[in-house]
Amino acid sequence: MAHHHHDHDDHTDIDWAVMAPLLEAQAELFTPLYERAMAWLAQEVPGPGLIVDSGSGPGVVSCLFAEAFPSARIVAVDGSEPLLERARARAERLGLDDRFGTVAGELPEALDDLPYPADLLWASNSLHHLGDQRAALAAFAARLAPAGTLALLEGGLPARFLPRDIGIGRPGLQARIDAVEAEWFARMRASLPGAVTETEDWPALLSAAGLKHTGTRSFLLDLPAPVSDRARAYVVASLSQLREALEEDLDREDRAALDRLLDPRDEASVHHRSDVFVLKAHTVYTAVRTS
């Protein structure tokens, strides 16, 4: 969905190989945000030997970790082998492949195949694809080295691309899409194998996994209008994906508005509008293994 999750689970009916270009484009666009998050993590986790990107997708962020922590070995873990192929190709292209590895398999079981415990385990929008999030966090914690850190990216704020009133349809289109997407997300969670309803108090869940919560920080991607061609392409791709995924949930007027926004022949579309922007917040929670 528009969260652009990085972990991959067949039960969510998302074709991750098809989504790979969008996932890559999004992660590349969000690089400044990830780099700020990594600078913060570098203060929390000095000199990690092994960094694990759990639910790595096509490896954009994994490679950013390799660049941000030049002495660390990086292992990208994901359920999609086609995405891991892209991750390996990216690492090779960037000259990082000598300290870059991959593990294919479903989380959290795939973490059992790590060569040794992680000093930093990064889980970015992957936990919510696992039915029992509490059990998964315990499994993540078990794969940490003593004094190792789990960095959990969940939540934040939905992306905004357009003003409230865009001159098409009813004002507040994106807020209504958010509400519909929240319903989709709830259905997705409920359909996962072994799904357990959990209050999303991440610090409390990290503590329940036997970790000491050490910090919470949000990072903002703020690309004001007029946006670059790359940012505009991301907005087009994101809205196209939403239009397709939420087809049956949006009302007719909002579908019509989205169709106009996505029609490159329409001057009011996001292909041409001068008021398109990208504003998105990601929240990262850190916790340390003390035992």
Side-chain angles (χ1 to χ4, degrees):
M1 292 303 303
H3 301 283
H4 305 300
H5 315 306
H6 289 189
D7 185 55
H8 313 293
D9 189 307
D10 294 338
H11 303 280
T12 58
D13 296 325
I14 298 170
D15 188 331
W16 295 104
V18 169
M19 275 190 68
L22 176 60
L23 291 170
E24 285 183 344
Q26 188 233 348
E28 288 166 356
L29 190 69
F30 278 58
T31 289
L33 181 154
Y34 291 123
E35 287 176 340
R36 288 194 295 276
M38 288 172 195
W40 177 59
L41 289 173
Q43 298 170 357
E44 301 242 325
V45 193
L50 175 64
I51 297 175
V52 176
D53 185 356
S54 171
S56 62
V60 178
V61 176
S62 312
C63 289
L64 289 175
F65 269 111
E67 292 171 338
F69 295 88
S71 63
R73 175 164 178 73
I74 313 296
V75 174
V77 182
D78 202 274
S80 167
E81 180 57 39
L83 291 185
L84 290 177
E85 283 177 24
R86 296 176 86 110
R88 289 190 292 270
R90 176 178 289 267
E92 187 174 356
R93 205 162 56 239
L94 295 172
L96 303 167
D97 48 321
D98 59 330
R99 51 191 181 87
F100 189 93
T102 60
V103 171
E106 294 303 322
L107 291 171
E109 294 80 10
L111 297 176
D112 293 340
D113 294 331
L114 292 175
Y116 39 87
D119 299 297
L120 173 60
L121 195 154
W122 169 261
S124 172
N125 284 330
S126 56
L127 184 67
H128 63 237
H129 285 291
L130 306 179
D132 189 338
Q133 295 176 106
R134 185 180 291 258
L137 280 175
F140 288 177
R143 299 308 304 169
L144 291 174
T149 291
L150 173 61
L152 180 69
L153 189 158
E154 287 287 348
L157 294 172
R160 281 287 177 272
F161 306 137
L162 292 161
R164 184 190 65 88
D165 192 334
I166 57 173
I168 300 173
R170 286 177 294 148
L173 174 64
Q174 279 203 271
R176 290 192 298 280
I177 290 174
D178 288 345
V180 168
E181 195 179 10
E183 291 292 323
W184 176 93
F185 188 82
R187 292 198 303 272
M188 183 277 290
R189 285 275 323 139
S191 72
L192 292 174
V196 177
T197 301
E198 198 72 71
T199 300
E200 293 174 358
D201 180 346
W202 302 118
L205 287 169
L206 289 165
S207 298
L211 303 175
K212 179 187 176 189
H213 175 235
T214 52
T216 301
R217 193 158 159 195
S218 293
F219 300 90
L220 192 68
L221 183 73
D222 180 10
L223 305 176
V227 291
S228 65
D229 289 345
R230 189 171 66 155
R232 191 179 294 276
Y234 163 66
V235 171
V236 171
S238 296
L239 291 177
S240 299
Q241 183 204 353
L242 280 166
R243 173 66 178 86
E244 184 179 345
L246 304 179
E247 164 81 34
E248 297 172 8
D249 302 299
L250 295 166
D251 68 30
R252 186 168 57 183
E253 188 176 5
D254 284 345
R255 286 200 303 270
L258 270 174
D259 287 341
R260 284 197 64 187
L261 284 171
L262 291 168
D263 183 354
R265 298 161 300 181
D266 194 322
E267 284 302 311
S269 75
V270 290
H271 296 271
H272 306 292
R273 301 179 70 98
S274 61
D275 58 358
V276 173
F277 59 90
V278 178
L279 187 64
K280 168 72 176 167
H282 280 319
T283 300
V284 180
Y285 303 85
T286 57
V288 171
R289 179 172 181 173
T290 55
S291 57

